[in-house]
Amino acid sequence: MPKLVRLYIKQVLIGFGLSATFVALLLYTNVGNLWHLVSTSDIGWIAVLMLFMFNGIVFAGVQFAIVIMRMEHDDTPKGGKREPVATTIPVRIEARARQQ
């Protein structure tokens, strides 16, 4: 399996794991009286399934995007050796007064 496909599958699993945690915390903390709405409705499981799936899609996409954006393999040199230039050598500067 190519490395990019393996990376994508891993990030999708992480995203859906985050989604499961997020939905569980939403139900546990009863945000917006969500637990009551889901538990007293006969089709409340569909709402939980939709929350899990749609949040999973979003979290997986964001997770994959973060990993891709953090990949940086630029082998080009970025400048010199970053050694400081000798700055302790005195330099004579001529001072002139402004003419008005």
Side-chain angles (χ1 to χ4, degrees), residues 1 9 52 61 78 89 97:
M1 183 180 313
I9 291 172
F52 171 71
K78 299 288 187 211
I89 301 171

mmCIF file of all heavy atoms in Angstrom, residues 1 9 52 61 78 89 97:
data_model
loop_
_atom_site.group_PDB
_atom_site.id
_atom_site.type_symbol
_atom_site.label_atom_id
_atom_site.label_comp_id
_atom_site.label_asym_id
_atom_site.label_seq_id
_atom_site.Cartn_x
_atom_site.Cartn_y
_atom_site.Cartn_z
ATOM 1 N N MET A 1 0.847 -1.171 0.000
ATOM 2 C CA MET A 1 0.000 0.000 0.000
ATOM 3 C C MET A 1 0.900 1.243 0.000
ATOM 4 O O MET A 1 1.835 1.328 0.793
ATOM 5 C CB MET A 1 -0.897 -0.032 1.235
ATOM 6 C CG MET A 1 -1.874 1.105 1.289
ATOM 7 S SD MET A 1 -2.967 1.091 2.740
ATOM 8 C CE MET A 1 -3.530 -0.561 2.804
ATOM 9 N N ILE A 9 -5.568 6.803 5.547
ATOM 10 C CA ILE A 9 -6.407 5.902 6.341
ATOM 11 C C ILE A 9 -6.156 6.121 7.830
ATOM 12 O O ILE A 9 -7.107 6.151 8.633
ATOM 13 C CB ILE A 9 -6.148 4.440 5.930
ATOM 14 C CG1 ILE A 9 -6.693 4.200 4.518
ATOM 15 C CG2 ILE A 9 -6.782 3.467 6.916
ATOM 16 C CD1 ILE A 9 -6.331 2.866 3.924
ATOM 17 N N PHE A 52 -22.106 11.728 14.540
ATOM 18 C CA PHE A 52 -20.843 11.006 14.466
ATOM 19 C C PHE A 52 -20.269 11.024 13.056
ATOM 20 O O PHE A 52 -19.085 11.312 12.862
ATOM 21 C CB PHE A 52 -21.052 9.562 14.934
ATOM 22 C CG PHE A 52 -19.865 8.684 14.687
ATOM 23 C CD1 PHE A 52 -18.707 8.840 15.420
ATOM 24 C CD2 PHE A 52 -19.899 7.706 13.709
ATOM 25 C CE1 PHE A 52 -17.599 8.032 15.189
ATOM 26 C CE2 PHE A 52 -18.808 6.897 13.471
ATOM 27 C CZ PHE A 52 -17.662 7.065 14.210
ATOM 28 N N GLY A 61 -10.966 15.225 7.677
ATOM 29 C CA GLY A 61 -10.427 16.151 6.683
ATOM 30 C C GLY A 61 -9.462 17.144 7.289
ATOM 31 O O GLY A 61 -8.396 17.422 6.724
ATOM 32 N N LYS A 78 18.945 27.275 2.481
ATOM 33 C CA LYS A 78 18.192 28.451 2.912
ATOM 34 C C LYS A 78 19.080 29.646 3.195
ATOM 35 O O LYS A 78 18.705 30.533 3.925
ATOM 36 C CB LYS A 78 17.398 28.124 4.178
ATOM 37 C CG LYS A 78 16.403 27.024 4.002
ATOM 38 C CD LYS A 78 15.243 27.503 3.175
ATOM 39 C CE LYS A 78 14.188 26.425 3.166
ATOM 40 N NZ LYS A 78 13.417 26.367 1.992
ATOM 41 N N ILE A 89 34.377 45.665 15.014
ATOM 42 C CA ILE A 89 35.386 46.488 14.367
ATOM 43 C C ILE A 89 34.860 47.923 14.296
ATOM 44 O O ILE A 89 33.790 48.174 13.755
ATOM 45 C CB ILE A 89 35.694 45.970 12.950
ATOM 46 C CG1 ILE A 89 36.181 44.521 13.030
ATOM 47 C CG2 ILE A 89 36.700 46.860 12.249
ATOM 48 C CD1 ILE A 89 36.294 43.851 11.689
ATOM 49 N N ALA A 97 26.620 68.681 10.268
ATOM 50 C CA ALA A 97 25.502 69.429 10.840
ATOM 51 C C ALA A 97 24.552 69.822 9.729
ATOM 52 O O ALA A 97 24.960 70.090 8.589
ATOM 53 C CB ALA A 97 26.007 70.670 11.567
#
